[in-house]
Amino acid sequence: MTFPSRVPEPYGQNGSANLADILERVLDKGLVIAGDIRINLLDIELLTIKLRLIVASVDKAKEMGIDWWETDPALSSHARRDELSRENAELRARLAELDDGGLRREPEPAIERGRAREEPS
Amino acid sequence: MTGLRYVYAVCRPFDAALQSQLKGVAGAPPRQLRHHDLIAVVSEVPERDFAEQPLRAHLEDLDWLTETARAHQSVIDALTVVTTPLPLRLGTVFRDDSGVRVMLEAREEGFRRTLDRLAGRVEWGVKVYAESEERESSQAPAKVSSGRDYLRQRRRSHRAHEEMWENADRFARRLHETLAEFAEDTRLHAPQNSALSGVPGRNVLNAAYLVPRAHSEEFVELVDRTKGEEPGLRVELTGPWAAYSFSGEGGETGEGGETGDSGGAATGAAGGGVDGR
């Protein structure tokens, strides 16, 4: 019979085996047999599973450049700070605009007036 | 209350007992189902989780998948200690024992052939990682005083980068050649995405080697000797695994479309990595 002479010590696999290594073999390799209720990983998109796994883990998704939550103020305090400073800057700009509003508004009517003058001719 | 049959592996009958504590997928202890001179290792799983629809849904649940994959692998591991199992993919489920028997009957020839080929062999996984990114970023923050300095620095880092990859590629090829010479069979798998594995560095070689159990120690030494040989490159060994990467072909040679497909999928997944010679 085929009894092993000696089993080498497991390497990097005992208990703490890397999940990716296990999934790689258990999902991707091994013999595929269609069961009689047709459960067969062949027709399940392994890639989809993998992508979902990545997205399932926030840190890892970030590595992939999926970082929308970083810029969403509802989800990130960092983004909230950014949001505040952005708002602040916007308000300052508008204030400045209002301050010299009298000076800036002048040219606009001038153009309109100019246009109005041209129209009849 | 109805249970389905989850099949882990097919093997030759063996005398040694499995660990009594061993629990399979969904917690039930695995048992042997004998058919002629083959054994299917099965356990009962609840229909509410393992019928086609719920299983599909579960596969997208990371926690469920992790637990199930580990349970599957722990049964395969236990079998690998006492015999040479032909591991099946996660999620191979039959209605009942007779369904499993029908499957064994139909594929008897192929199973025997594959089991003979794999008897007494185990699979070792070897990965090489290049740790360039970290080293680069630690070099980057040097201050530049002029545009010319900047460009010079860019060129230097670009060249170092280039050299690094050439070096990694050369090393991986050489290692693969050495190990392939020693092993009975090899498979190159797609490099693992670090985003998925969480392992630092870029995976430049992800290979599996079929090695007789009796020669495993030599193989391990062979790999160990290359560790730390090249700065910036990390060699990682996993195993012994059941011959997952080598269990496909038995059925591939003339056993109907469905197995042919499986072979195709396996090769598809094996693309990339170091190109074959």
Side-chain angles (χ1 to χ4, degrees):
Chain A
M1 287 271 82
T2 59
F3 282 121
S5 50
R6 185 144 73 108
V7 186
E9 281 293 295
Y11 243 78
Q13 201 191 329
N14 30 352
S16 63
N18 183 344
L19 179 62
D21 274 341
I22 292 183
L23 288 182
E24 182 178 52
R25 285 188 164 73
V26 164
L27 286 177
D28 279 7
K29 283 134 211 157
L31 195 65
V32 180
I33 293 170
D36 61 352
I37 54 168
R38 310 295 305 168
I39 291 174
N40 180 353
L41 282 174
L42 249 192
D43 55 8
I44 293 178
E45 300 248 338
L46 294 175
L47 197 68
T48 313
I49 295 176
K50 284 182 182 173
L51 280 178
R52 277 172 202 270
L53 291 185
I54 292 167
V55 176
S57 160
V58 169
D59 286 350
K60 288 165 189 173
K62 257 165 83 175
E63 285 171 32
M64 301 279 291
I66 305 168
D67 57 356
W68 47 266
W69 58 82
E70 290 218 300
T71 51
D72 186 335
L75 295 169
S76 156
S77 60
H78 182 67
R80 250 195 309 273
R81 271 200 304 279
D82 283 358
E83 180 76 2
L84 272 180
S85 59
R86 194 187 54 76
E87 227 175 85
N88 201 348
E90 205 174 283
L91 287 172
R92 274 170 201 272
R94 286 183 67 180
L95 202 63
E97 213 173 285
L98 287 173
D99 272 352
D100 53 14
L103 296 171
R104 268 200 209 161
R105 217 158 274 165
E106 212 75 62
E108 282 177 43
I111 292 169
E112 262 170 55
R113 251 180 274 130
R115 212 184 281 152
R117 241 182 283 140
E118 272 167 287
E119 254 167 39
S121 61
Chain B
M1 275 313 270
T2 41
L4 301 169
R5 297 295 177 277
Y6 186 103
V7 187
Y8 300 88
V10 174
C11 25
R12 299 279 196 187
F14 55 90
D15 299 328
L18 291 175
Q19 303 147 239
S20 55
Q21 310 283 309
L22 190 63
K23 287 232 167 63
V25 165
R31 63 185 167 84
Q32 303 178 24
L33 185 72
R34 186 161 181 162
H35 184 79
H36 298 162
D37 60 345
L38 291 176
I39 273 176
V41 178
V42 304
S43 71
E44 201 158 310
V45 290
E47 188 156 359
R48 63 167 190 280
D49 286 331
F50 286 86
E52 186 162 6
Q53 284 316 312
L55 183 57
R56 266 171 205 273
H58 278 320
L59 286 173
E60 312 207 332
D61 171 351
L62 181 63
D63 292 335
W64 189 90
L65 186 60
T66 302
E67 196 185 317
T68 307
R70 285 200 191 276
H72 178 104
Q73 176 55 24
S74 73
V75 173
I76 300 290
D77 259 349
L79 288 169
T80 309
V81 174
V82 295
T83 184
T84 303
L86 178 50
L88 305 191
R89 252 185 225 188
L90 182 106
T92 307
V93 182
F94 291 81
R95 282 237 168 270
D96 49 27
D97 283 0
S98 79
V100 180
R101 276 180 214 285
V102 168
M103 179 273 291
L104 286 175
E105 175 81 34
R107 304 174 57 125
E108 214 171 336
E109 258 308 300
F111 283 150
R112 268 207 227 111
R113 222 180 310 132
T114 310
L115 281 167
D116 285 346
R117 183 167 52 84
L118 298 179
R121 277 103 173 151
V122 289
E123 172 176 334
W124 290 93
V126 176
K127 293 201 283 284
V128 175
Y129 293 94
E131 291 160 316
S132 72
E133 269 99 323
E134 295 143 49
R135 295 208 300 164
E136 243 173 87
S137 59
S138 67
Q139 279 173 4
K143 282 205 182 93
V144 281
S145 48
S146 72
R148 186 187 295 191
D149 269 0
Y150 172 75
L151 288 176
R152 202 174 281 150
Q153 195 179 303
R154 277 289 299 266
R155 195 174 57 198
R156 211 181 302 129
S157 101
H158 183 73
R159 203 176 289 157
H161 198 233
E162 207 93 305
E163 262 169 37
M164 156 83 219
W165 286 120
E166 272 171 32
N167 193 24
D169 190 58
R170 206 180 314 121
F171 176 79
R173 278 171 195 273
R174 206 179 53 221
L175 176 64
H176 177 62
E177 268 169 41
T178 311
L179 299 180
E181 218 166 283
F182 188 89
E184 282 187 5
D185 204 354
T186 70
R187 289 285 181 284
L188 289 169
H189 298 313
Q192 275 184 1
N193 188 333
S194 73
L196 175 63
S197 62
V199 176
R202 185 164 142 187
N203 188 198
V204 291
L205 176 74
N206 183 14
Y209 301 89
L210 186 68
V211 177
R213 203 186 284 272
H215 298 158
S216 280
E217 250 170 86
E218 287 165 71
F219 183 83
V220 171
E221 270 167 36
L222 204 56
V223 176
D224 275 348
R225 231 174 287 149
T226 67
K227 287 184 177 174
E229 201 178 84
E230 291 277 343
L233 294 177
R234 199 171 77 250
V235 179
E236 234 180 64
L237 177 69
T238 59
W241 300 86
Y244 275 105
S245 304
F246 304 93
S247 59
E249 306 150 312
E252 223 172 290
T253 45
E255 260 220 321
E258 135 214 323
T259 33
D261 279 348
S262 87
T267 354
V274 177
D275 298 331
R277 282 150 293 162

